Amino acid sequence: MHKEKLIFLDFDGVLHPTHFAGESPFSRAALLEESFNLLSPKIVISSSWRFTDNLEKLQKTLPTFISSLIIGATGAAVIGKHPRFTEIQNYLQSYGSADWRALDDSYWEFPNPCTRLIRCNPNTGIADRQILELNQWLIQG
């Protein structure tokens, strides 16, 4: 039996450059569409946007091919070492066992090395290299 695949999705530095002057929000999201349409992983929002907008509003803001796969968001912010990683671990404690990856540019919020982090460049957002890494993980059994 295969474990469920979960993607913990950050927005800034992933779906668009961190400083997206001149670029619209989610300008890089379309790169994920083919992967998500073919392989339909479950998505958990780990972005700090979860602190200002509720899940329903975030789902309306995101492209449909992403919002239709969202099952939740990580919980309260964690202060201390590797906060995003700890937030994911806290989520998984209540969710249960899953094979997961984090699409994130904030590598310092994860232990080094973290084999579950697909690290994006904050200046560009997600690019072909991360899509390739994501697809390899999604298609493996």
Side-chain angles (χ1 to χ4, degrees):
M1 186 169 142
H2 299 304
K3 272 189 181 177
E4 226 172 5
K5 292 193 185 258
L6 290 185
I7 293 175
F8 289 88
L9 184 62
D10 183 25
F11 294 176
D12 299 321
V14 177
L15 297 181
H16 48 252
T18 301
H19 304 289
F20 53 97
E23 274 197 60
S24 56
F26 313 125
S27 60
R28 308 292 289 174
L31 290 174
L32 292 164
E33 188 165 12
E34 188 177 332
S35 303
F36 287 2
N37 284 341
L38 287 171
L39 300 157
S40 302
K42 292 185 175 175
I43 297 173
V44 178
I45 296 170
S46 57
S47 170
S48 59
W49 288 39
R50 73 187 194 276
F51 300 129
T52 53
D53 294 324
N54 66 31
L55 195 58
E56 185 181 352
K57 182 172 182 186
L58 290 172
Q59 285 180 291
K60 288 179 179 170
T61 307
L62 288 161
T64 306
F65 74 90
I66 293 176
S67 65
S68 65
L69 300 172
I70 293 173
I71 60 164
T74 51
V78 170
I79 306 299
K81 196 173 185 183
H82 314 309
R84 182 78 40 95
F85 181 79
T86 304
E87 291 162 10
I88 290 170
Q89 295 303 308
N90 292 345
Y91 182 89
L92 290 168
Q93 279 182 346
S94 59
Y95 183 82
S97 180
D99 185 7
W100 65 273
R101 292 294 181 273
L103 280 174
D104 210 308
D105 66 316
S106 302
Y107 64 90
W108 60 89
E109 295 199 41
F110 293 82
N112 184 17
C114 180
T115 57
R116 295 181 183 270
L117 171 63
I118 298 177
R119 182 178 170 184
C120 298
N121 181 333
N123 298 315
T124 60
I126 197 163
D128 291 342
R129 188 176 70 78
Q130 290 85 23
I131 295 294
L132 182 63
E133 191 177 339
L134 177 68
N135 287 346
Q136 287 172 339
W137 169 69
L138 285 171
I139 59 178
Q140 74 187 10

